[in-house]
Amino acid sequence: MPREFDPVKLAVLANAFDGIVREMTSGLLRSARSSVINTARDFSCAVLTADNQLLAAAEGVPVHVFGAGPLGEDMVALHDDIREGDAFLHNDPYLGNSHAADHCILVPIFVEGRHLFTAVTKAHQADCGNALPTTFYATARDVYEEGALIFPCVRIQRDYADVDDIIRMCRSRIRVPDQWYGDYLASVGASRIAERRTQELAAKFGADTLVEFVDAWFDYSERLATSAVETLPERVLTGSTTHDPFPGTGPDGVPVNATISVKPAEGRVTIDLRDNPDNLPNGLNLTRATATGAALAGILSGLPESLPSNAGTFRRFEVLLREGCAVGVPKHPYSCSSGTTNLADRVVNIVQSAFSQIEDGYGTAEGATGQAPAKSVISGIDERTGNAYVNQILVGGVGGPATPYVDGWPTYQRPVCGALLYHDSVEVDEQRYPILVHERVLVADSGGAGRQRGGLASRVTIEARDDDVTLTYGIESKFNPPKGVRGGADGAVPEAWVEALDGNRKEIPVVGRYDMARGEKVVSITPGGGGYGDPLDRASTAVLDDLSEGRVTPETALAVYGVVITGGLIDDAATRKLRNERRNPEAK
């Protein structure tokens, strides 16, 4: 029987690895070239064990890191000569990666001649060589039309020096090569930080101690997850939704289903995603990594307990996937260009909201989805400098889901990100690109009403300042908005239009690209998040606060929440009377 690991040392080492990942994150954030990384923070860092289990991810984006183990599996399977000083570039969605725009740098960490850990940085690229200047080519019928450069875990450094062949391939196909190369150097640097810090940790505590720590930490995390599941009733929960109609789908959109089997006697939860459509002739198909990561993110959001995000916790959660499934393991050459977003967002939503079927206090509502123009990829030639630019801007947030205890965040960004992406600075974006942002405001009444209110939508107006500004985007949830749960209302639907030079309003396609003329304005309204619980149970003081801050209108405060406000004050007696009448209309 193995000896018990010192609990104090367990906490020290767990926090040490967490600190290593946070230092990786800080280094990448401060040294990357593209704004989607150094401003919006669309990247993640992690440390895997030698047997490719997720050890530490700090504030890693769920869709990036929860399925990170297969990245290490690919490295080991494809290379039998791994040694210290190596680094590998991996973005193959048909192996263990998320989608082609997520460039991963894997660095095997050797201690005393043994490969004990692997550092992983995954950074979302604004341009990965797609046929169109966009990071998400959702309408691509297959990987060939998509056009991305795909690297199935290729060696990009040997003995700490670049493999120039790979660097030249990237620079020759990516539209802004210096931007990519700066991001590449930042990613390698972040992974090398983990290598140095882990070796320093091993020098202090001993390599064998670190190996023992891994087993103890995973066992401890598994016990926490088991305890959380054991408190649940034995249930089979179901979640279903429909992704909006899209190029390459039928007129009714894409149905997405999940069956969640809660087995407290076994301390296990199984998420079955196999009952979903086959691969689609567009870029919406998920990958093994993103389908797994989305399901796990939904579980961790749905449970009231806070659990460590590592492989020990994940031992208690099984995700069942099907090969050739749009929400599963893709078959080549179906495109997975948008495999980290649309359907993955839907999976997170239906899993986390399904837990609300247990009872009040579990699960969340659905969060807003979609890639509205305020979150589009912007590209063109800047006439101020004559230089090409391609980058994703994030100047508008979406409404987050209400939980049993708090309102949804307006800075949620999307379900797969877990509110970990940042908003761009408007002023910085206006300096970098030929655009002018006229407004970025929250939209009143756009969050689903509930005891806890859904996060508000954002309205953003962008004007082109030269003749070559292209926005590539994909509006979603227009026909199937984020759902509320346990009596909560759905979030508001998104909208987008163009204010033409003659002042008239004209519609733009739901998905695609729009070439803006100088002086034209694109107005983008993102969706709102779903509400949780009966709106009549919302604290009247919270409604008054929402009203005073412009988050709800007086009409909604009265008609939806049943709160009577006179002269800026709550009329408690009238509010009680009105709410009782609403709850018991037959007693009027």
Side-chain angles (χ1 to χ4, degrees):
M1 182 175 179
R3 63 186 178 87
E4 184 179 350
F5 197 85
D6 179 10
V8 174
K9 191 177 291 184
L10 183 75
V12 168
L13 290 175
N15 282 281
F17 275 103
D18 186 79
I20 288 171
V21 175
R22 292 180 186 277
E23 187 176 352
M24 294 170 68
T25 300
S26 179
L28 182 48
L29 180 66
R30 284 163 171 74
S31 58
R33 185 71 62 87
S34 62
S35 63
V36 71
I37 299 175
N38 66 29
T39 303
R41 200 183 175 278
D42 196 351
F43 70 89
S44 299
C45 301
V47 174
L48 306 179
T49 61
D51 61 346
N52 309 308
Q53 303 296 306
L54 179 63
L55 176 63
E59 293 183 343
V61 173
V63 78
H64 282 172
V65 296
F66 284 2
L71 295 168
E73 293 172 7
D74 295 336
M75 182 183 72
V76 174
L78 295 172
H79 301 275
D80 59 5
D81 60 344
I82 297 171
R83 69 188 191 207
E84 190 166 3
D86 281 348
F88 299 87
L89 170 61
H90 193 348
N91 74 327
D92 192 334
Y94 306 103
L95 292 175
N97 193 38
S98 40
H99 69 153
D102 283 339
H103 280 202
C104 303
I105 299 296
L106 291 89
V107 167
I109 300 174
F110 284 78
V111 178
E112 298 174 358
R114 291 186 288 168
H115 174 207
L116 292 187
F117 302 97
T118 299
V120 179
T121 57
K122 179 177 288 194
H124 183 91
Q125 303 298 309
D127 180 20
C128 57
N130 280 343
L132 296 180
T134 176
T135 186
F136 300 109
Y137 191 172
T139 59
R141 289 169 294 183
D142 56 31
V143 70
Y144 306 113
E145 184 173 15
E146 180 184 334
L149 275 170
I150 292 181
F151 297 97
C153 199
V154 299
R155 184 179 280 109
I156 199 166
Q157 282 194 341
R158 188 70 161 182
D159 298 325
Y160 296 100
D162 285 347
V163 177
D164 289 335
D165 290 346
I166 306 300
I167 302 296
R168 287 197 300 273
M169 290 174 66
C170 291
R171 293 186 67 95
S172 67
R173 273 286 303 282
I174 290 174
R175 292 172 177 82
V176 189
D178 289 344
Q179 176 177 283
W180 171 83
Y181 189 61
D183 291 343
Y184 158 72
L185 292 177
S187 295
V188 170
S191 289
R192 294 297 182 195
I193 286 173
E195 180 182 37
R196 291 194 301 274
R197 294 293 181 259
T198 303
Q199 289 170 343
E200 292 168 0
L201 200 64
K204 182 175 182 179
F205 289 95
D208 290 339
T209 297
L210 296 190
V211 173
E212 293 173 6
F213 156 74
V214 168
D215 291 337
W217 181 232
F218 284 166
D219 289 345
Y220 171 74
S221 301
E222 184 177 14
R223 289 196 297 273
L224 290 179
T226 302
S227 296
V229 175
E230 286 175 341
T231 64
L232 302 176
E234 184 167 354
R235 293 281 297 275
V236 175
L237 311 172
T238 57
S240 63
T241 187
T242 302
H243 186 285
D244 283 359
F246 213 77
T249 76
D252 297 326
V254 185
V256 183
N257 304 293
T259 301
I260 302 105
S261 300
V262 181
K263 306 169 185 176
E266 302 175 20
R268 181 173 297 279
V269 176
T270 300
I271 311 95
D272 192 342
L273 298 178
R274 294 174 295 183
D275 182 22
N276 281 298
D278 292 339
N279 282 141
L280 302 165
N282 56 32
L284 299 184
N285 300 289
L286 300 192
T287 69
R288 173 187 173 192
T290 59
T292 300
L296 293 174
I299 287 181
L300 294 185
S301 296
L303 294 174
E305 291 83 358
S306 179
L307 299 173
S309 298
N310 64 39
T313 295
F314 298 157
R315 290 172 184 169
R316 296 287 96 193
F317 307 133
E318 182 181 18
V319 182
L320 302 179
L321 304 177
R322 178 172 64 83
E323 186 175 2
C325 180
V327 185
V329 181
K331 283 187 176 180
H332 188 278
Y334 286 100
S335 173
C336 306
S337 185
S338 294
T340 59
T341 51
N342 299 51
L343 293 182
D345 285 330
R346 293 286 183 170
V347 170
V348 175
N349 272 341
I350 61 176
V351 173
Q352 68 186 19
S353 63
F355 278 89
S356 68
Q357 298 168 19
I358 295 175
E359 62 180 41
D360 198 334
Y362 290 89
T364 74
E366 293 187 357
T369 65
Q371 202 78 12
K375 300 170 64 180
S376 62
V377 174
I378 184 172
S379 61
I381 306 294
D382 193 335
E383 67 179 21
R384 298 172 298 181
T385 62
N387 294 330
Y389 60 91
V390 181
N391 224 312
Q392 185 177 5
I393 58 173
L394 287 94
V395 291
V398 303
T403 79
Y405 309 107
V406 297
D407 295 337
W409 290 6
T411 55
Y412 184 61
Q413 287 300 4
R414 63 187 330 135
V416 294
C417 297
L420 289 174
L421 296 192
Y422 295 173
H423 276 64
D424 285 4
S425 162
V426 166
E427 292 77 14
V428 170
D429 278 356
E430 289 175 338
Q431 290 176 345
R432 288 175 171 170
Y433 315 114
I435 60 173
L436 183 66
V437 179
H438 285 268
E439 65 172 352
R440 176 167 66 177
V441 298
L442 298 177
V443 180
D445 293 340
S446 56
R451 187 185 71 222
Q452 304 297 339
R453 175 184 42 73
L456 298 181
S458 299
R459 185 177 69 246
V460 178
T461 301
I462 303 171
E463 178 184 343
R465 292 197 292 172
D466 70 24
D467 294 322
D468 189 16
V469 178
T470 297
L471 302 180
T472 307
Y473 61 92
I475 298 171
E476 222 270 286
S477 298
K478 192 173 182 67
F479 303 103
N480 300 286
K483 296 177 183 176
V485 297
R486 302 196 70 82
D490 297 346
V493 300
E495 294 184 77
W497 65 87
V498 172
E499 292 181 357
L501 297 177
D502 60 8
N504 291 324
R505 169 174 166 170
K506 63 179 182 180
E507 299 301 317
I508 58 176
V510 172
V511 59
R513 55 187 297 187
Y514 184 77
D515 298 319
M516 299 179 68
R518 185 192 302 266
E520 276 192 331
K521 299 173 185 176
V522 169
V523 180
S524 168
I525 301 178
T526 58
Y532 193 109
D534 189 340
L536 296 177
D537 291 333
R538 184 167 177 79
S540 57
T541 52
V543 176
L544 178 61
D545 183 60
D546 280 347
L547 180 62
S548 64
E549 295 294 329
R551 293 187 284 260
V552 302
T553 60
E555 293 77 15
T556 295
L558 180 64
V560 177
Y561 289 103
V563 177
V564 180
I565 299 172
T566 305
L569 299 175
I570 300 170
D571 186 329
D572 291 323
T575 295
R576 283 194 299 271
K577 181 176 182 294
L578 179 59
R579 285 182 161 184
N580 286 334
E581 290 174 351
R582 295 270 177 82
R583 292 190 182 99
N584 304 288
E586 68 282 354
K588 291 178 63 175

